[in-house]
Amino acid sequence: MAAVLRTRITQLLGIDHPILGGGLMWLSDARYVAALVNAGCMGFITPRSYASEADFRDALALCAELTHGKPFGVNLTLSHRPEANAMVPRWMDAALAQGVRIFETAGHAPAELIAALHRANAIVVHKASSIRHALSAERAGADAIALVGMEEGGHPGTNELPTMLMGALAQGQFSVPVVLGGGIGRGRQLAAALAQGLDGVLIGSRFLVCEEIRTHPRYKEHLLTCDEHSTVRLLQSLGSTWRVLRNETARQVQAIEQAGARDHAAFGDLISGTTTRDRCYAQGDWQQGMASLGPSIAFARRIEPLQAIVDGLVAEAVQAIAALRAITATDALDAMNSMEQKR
Ligand SMILES: Cc1cc2nc3c(=O)[nH]c(=O)nc-3n(C[C@H](O)[C@H](O)[C@H](O)COP(=O)(O)O)c2cc1C
């Protein structure tokens, strides 16, 4: 698909389409990120998914090979627990050594990380789930913002506001490019983000059924049966909201939470990431594990190459924009301008 939608984010990141694939724990590996990049988008490898730094370095090298010199990105998610961030500087150095210069940061207190990345001449897209956090990331130097609403699969923070409203609230508040995420799965929504004056979209859930995502076929087949009610937000009461697939584990977690549990230990292995990786993603037992997922999975109709999904999104966005032009009277802008002058 030709580069037909040019915005400040396509310019900043040197990509064809204003579409970013957000980092996906366990799933955004070299093959998937390379597929995003080769489809004209930007993707981010998640170092936390790898058992060792050496495995992460191998993934970086493989992604460089598969993208034939095109830039690709790395996701650095910061935990609110300092001990869980001990490896972040090493992952950053490993990525920089491989030539990576585009990073998606997410999570708690990113200012120091943004400064360190800038010292290495990297571009930082910071993902935030509230306007307040996004503005403070911009003040800390983020080069672009990914603003996510409560529809987001994974960890949308304590934000209760939907993506469409977040997009509208963002207008006029930022000087850096802003992309909108959470619940995006149609080209018309990309057109809507652009109509809101934003620079593109960030997608996770909709891409989970692409061929290049490495999960068990049974899991992908199950995702095709999901609709917009197939996900649930849990753990709000602990301040660590998590939007996941409605399955047996989610029901058990909900029951423990509703019974008054107030710390993570009460959930034991139910919320352990390796259960999701091993039982759900690797073995295809989709009833087991907390599988990050948002309602935009409802838009997934078939398992297909990522390129086909991206091309469909861009084509639909262009059609939507053309349809808007067709219903706009040719002299509409003149009429608006003269009304403005009279005010
Ligand atoms: C399976 C899955 C895993 C995710 N893991 C991470 C992660 O490790 N770090 C992160 O910053 N965001 C993570 N996210 C959030 C995505 O990067 C992205 O912000 C989100 O998927 C966008 O919302 P959507 O799912 O409604 O498209 C994850 C999302 C999903 C669906």
Side-chain angles (χ1 to χ4, degrees):
M1 167 70 70
V4 287
L5 297 170
R6 280 182 290 273
T7 70
R8 293 184 304 161
I9 202 75
T10 59
Q11 223 169 344
L12 178 71
L13 304 182
I15 51 180
D16 287 346
H17 310 307
I19 301 175
L20 315 188
L24 307 174
M25 185 65 182
W26 306 126
L27 304 179
S28 53
D29 58 8
R31 194 158 153 258
Y32 170 67
V33 170
L36 277 165
V37 166
N38 292 333
C41 309
M42 182 48 61
F44 304 92
I45 296 184
T46 42
R48 287 185 190 276
S49 305
Y50 295 90
S52 69
E53 194 182 329
D55 287 354
F56 172 52
R57 284 180 191 274
D58 288 349
L60 292 168
L62 176 61
C63 197
E65 195 186 314
L66 295 173
T67 48
H68 315 289
K70 277 182 159 185
F72 63 93
V74 162
N75 170 290
L76 294 175
T77 299
L78 293 167
S79 169
H80 61 279
R81 291 178 298 121
E83 68 278 13
N85 296 326
M87 283 296 290
V88 170
R90 311 247 333 221
W91 290 327
M92 179 183 92
D93 288 345
L96 291 169
Q98 182 62 55
V100 173
R101 288 295 179 275
I102 301 175
F103 290 83
E104 177 193 42
T105 57
H108 190 70
E112 222 176 279
L113 179 59
I114 293 173
L117 289 166
H118 276 169
R119 284 195 291 278
N121 292 321
I123 295 172
V124 181
V125 181
H126 182 72
K127 183 159 60 188
S129 57
S130 76
I131 299 280
R132 192 164 56 86
H133 288 144
L135 283 170
S136 90
E138 184 186 45
R139 278 195 300 277
D143 303 284
I145 296 293
L147 193 62
V148 289
M150 54 89 81
E151 297 95 319
E152 184 197 28
H155 295 276
T158 50
N159 166 43
E160 297 286 340
L161 301 179
T163 300
M164 182 87 171
L165 179 61
M166 299 281 281
L169 289 169
Q171 285 159 40
Q173 298 222 48
F174 295 88
S175 47
V176 298
V178 176
V179 299
L180 198 57
I184 308 279
R186 295 286 306 248
R188 286 177 185 282
Q189 292 170 293
L190 167 56
L194 301 179
Q196 286 191 316
L198 305 176
D199 300 278
V201 291
L202 173 89
I203 293 179
S205 300
R206 172 66 185 92
F207 288 155
L208 292 178
V209 294
C210 75
E211 284 177 2
E212 294 85 351
I213 283 268
R214 204 185 294 261
T215 52
H216 195 284
R218 241 190 333 262
Y219 183 57
K220 280 191 195 168
E221 291 295 342
H222 179 67
L223 291 180
L224 295 180
T225 70
C226 288
D227 66 14
E228 63 275 28
H229 305 293
S230 301
T231 74
V232 57
R233 280 161 34 107
L234 299 171
L235 305 182
Q236 288 105 314
S237 57
L238 274 66
S240 53
T241 309
W242 197 350
R243 189 186 274 281
V244 294
L245 172 70
R246 263 184 210 281
N247 63 5
E248 186 49 39
T249 299
R251 273 185 283 279
Q252 289 173 15
V253 167
Q254 192 166 35
I256 296 171
E257 190 179 3
Q258 282 170 355
R262 286 297 170 266
D263 62 49
H264 287 86
F267 299 90
D269 277 353
L270 282 175
I271 58 170
S272 126
T274 49
T275 305
T276 316
R277 181 194 62 190
D278 298 341
R279 301 289 302 275
C280 182
Y281 297 157
Q283 296 166 18
D285 183 358
W286 55 266
Q287 291 284 12
Q288 306 304 321
M290 293 279 275
S292 294
L293 188 69
S296 62
I297 196 60
F299 299 122
R301 295 274 180 271
R302 65 188 72 85
I303 297 163
E304 59 193 331
L306 185 67
Q307 176 87 59
I309 303 177
V310 168
D311 287 355
L313 290 170
V314 174
E316 189 181 279
V318 169
Q319 281 160 5
I321 293 165
L324 287 178
R325 283 211 190 97
I327 61 165
T328 311
T330 42
D331 56 355
L333 257 185
D334 292 343
M336 291 302 121
N337 287 340
S338 72
M339 268 170 64
E340 281 293 311
Q341 278 162 13
K342 279 184 202 148
R343 269 200 216 153

